Amino acid sequence: MAEYLASIFGTEKDKVNCSFYFKIGACRHGDRCSRLHNKPTFSQTIVLLNLYRNPQNTAQTADGSHCHVSDVEVQEHYDNFFEEVFTELQEKYGAIEEMNVCDNLGDHLVGNVYVKFRREEDAERAVTELNNRWFNGQAVHAELSPVTDFRESCCRQYEMGECTRGGFCNFMHLRPISRNLRRQLYGRGPRRRSPPRSHTGHHPRERNRRRSPDHRHGRF
């Protein structure tokens, strides 16, 4: 019996534990879910909840209407965000094996940033310290995540451009970074920050610090 229960743990056959929480570290039912969300006591992976804000979803003019943000601008904004978070966390807490950002729209997944460290101790320390920090004017909410294999948690249809559920899909829609940035971040270990990419000559961190009304609370 014990072997059978172990074999179905976290699968659709498991009537006790939530398979969605086990696979993606989040569930659309939240605390109302009829199945258990077994939060890990140790893991290589942490999740920073609702940290990334897609400018296409948040950009508004003074009269409340949405203003257009091009795909190129969104990619540049995303690459800057990804580089800043990746570099900060790797320099402060330890080597990162993988980092992924959800581009879903459901409340339980929107803007979630999953960071898989090489060592569980680094992940544990990151969670403890990050929950006392702010980022771009919002308090950081970090927790250990059960997700270690993102192949099981991501939407394969999205990767092929065929997901019919759009942003409200219950599997991760992982937004890709540019090829050059991927090579730059994953091609070698901890590194010095790259030169500014903006036309103003300021590093993205400096631009964000001036934009954010809560920069006095500090960042990572």
Side-chain angles (χ1 to χ4, degrees), residues 14 125 188 211:
D14 190 339
R125 185 164 64 92
R188 50 186 181 273
R211 271 203 310 267

Side-chain angles (χ1 to χ4, degrees), residues 6 12 49 68 77 83 112 118 134 170-171 195 197 219:
E12 286 75 9
L49 299 172
H68 176 71
H77 174 274
E83 180 184 10
N112 284 1
R118 188 170 298 164
W134 290 68
N170 284 321
F171 286 92
R197 288 197 297 268
R219 302 167 60 76

Side-chain angles (χ1 to χ4, degrees), residues 135-148:
F135 185 87
N136 278 357
Q138 62 177 318
V140 175
H141 183 182
E143 58 186 46
L144 293 175
S145 172
V147 179
T148 54

